[in-house]
């Protein structure tokens, strides 16, 4: 008997994606790239500098959809390589555990997270990165910040859709509490 299960991950056509986004939540991953010292303490947090569809420039975490029939770990690695380059050397564990789950809504105010295109559920991870990060795809730049700089109101205001809030949660998760 022939196997009728589709096993090749792939993208939906733009009209299919728009239709799916209108009907159901879409699964995403968010990654907070970090540098750690020899003790495992976070010393720096990496943020992308992007131009969004509206032409606005903003700071962003590494983020993207999980494809059909793709493991979450593989999606994390794919998006990290896509945004940070092939020699970023992310250290994603074999069985990654998110530090939180962010639920993005097209309607503002339901949660701190907003995406006007869709209802999305994102598994959020803190990922140590050991290599050289070079922005790719739609990223203009990639900048390392100290935890204090990343938690500052200036950087937070440059992160739309609640990603600044997600970054603050990541910093709290690794023991950084802003004063």
């Amino acid at each position: 008997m022939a196997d009728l299960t589709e096993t090749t991950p792939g993208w939906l056509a733009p009209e299919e994606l728009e239709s799916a986004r209108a009907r159901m939540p879409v699964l995403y991953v968010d990654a907070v790239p970090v540098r750690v010292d020899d003790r495992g303490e976070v010393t720096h947090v990496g943020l992308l500098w992007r131009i969004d569809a509206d032409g606005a420039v903003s700071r962003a975490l590494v983020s993207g959809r999980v494809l059909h029939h793709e493991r979450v770990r593989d999606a994390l690695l794919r998006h990290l390589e896509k945004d940070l380059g092939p020699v970023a050397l992310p250290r994603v564990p074999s069985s990654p555990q998110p530090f939180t789950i962010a639920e993005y809504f097209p309607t503002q105010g339901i949660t701190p997270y907003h995406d006007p295109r869709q209802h999305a559920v994102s598994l959020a991870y803190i990922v140590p990165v050991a290599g050289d990060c070079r922005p790719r795809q739609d990223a203009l730049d990639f900048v390392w910040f100290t935890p204090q700089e990343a938690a500052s109101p200036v950087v937070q205001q440059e992160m739309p859709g609640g990603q600044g809030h997600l970054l603050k949660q990541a910093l709290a998760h690794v023991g950084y509490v802003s004063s």
Side-chain angles (χ1 to χ4, degrees):
M1 175 185 288
D3 185 5
L4 301 176
T5 303
E6 175 64 42
T7 60
T8 306
W11 297 103
L12 295 172
E15 57 279 351
E16 292 172 318
L17 179 58
E18 186 176 331
S19 176
R21 282 178 166 160
R23 291 185 170 91
M24 67 182 75
V26 178
L27 182 61
Y28 275 71
V29 291
D30 280 314
V32 180
V34 298
R35 294 274 197 219
V36 296
D37 63 16
D38 293 340
R39 296 175 311 176
E41 301 278 332
V42 171
T43 61
H44 290 86
V45 176
L47 298 174
L48 296 162
W49 193 240
R50 296 186 186 265
I51 295 181
D52 66 20
D54 299 335
V57 180
S58 61
R59 299 265 177 219
L61 302 173
V62 172
S63 184
R65 285 194 318 263
V66 177
L67 298 176
H68 179 262
H69 211 266
E70 180 178 41
R71 294 178 347 153
V72 168
R73 183 178 189 278
D74 294 336
L76 267 171
L77 289 168
R78 179 171 55 83
H79 288 294
L80 286 159
E81 181 176 334
K82 173 185 68 78
D83 286 343
L84 305 182
V87 293
L89 305 177
R91 295 190 314 239
V92 178
S94 57
S95 181
Q97 298 296 313
F99 70 89
T100 195
I101 297 171
E103 196 168 9
Y104 294 82
F105 283 91
T107 306
Q108 288 186 326
I110 296 173
T111 70
Y113 311 106
H114 175 250
D115 185 337
R117 304 167 301 167
Q118 65 193 335
H119 177 187
V121 176
S122 183
L123 305 174
Y125 299 88
I126 299 164
V127 181
V129 175
D132 187 27
C133 298
R134 301 281 182 209
R136 297 175 33 161
Q137 300 289 323
D138 62 344
L140 300 173
D141 198 7
F142 181 79
V143 178
W144 290 107
F145 294 91
T146 66
Q148 295 82 5
E149 293 167 335
S152 74
V154 172
V155 171
Q156 295 293 304
Q157 291 171 0
E158 295 175 336
M159 300 183 76
Q163 284 204 336
H165 181 76
L166 190 59
L167 176 57
K168 279 189 144 182
Q169 283 186 289
L171 291 169
H173 187 77
V174 297
Y176 175 77
V177 178
S178 61
S179 48

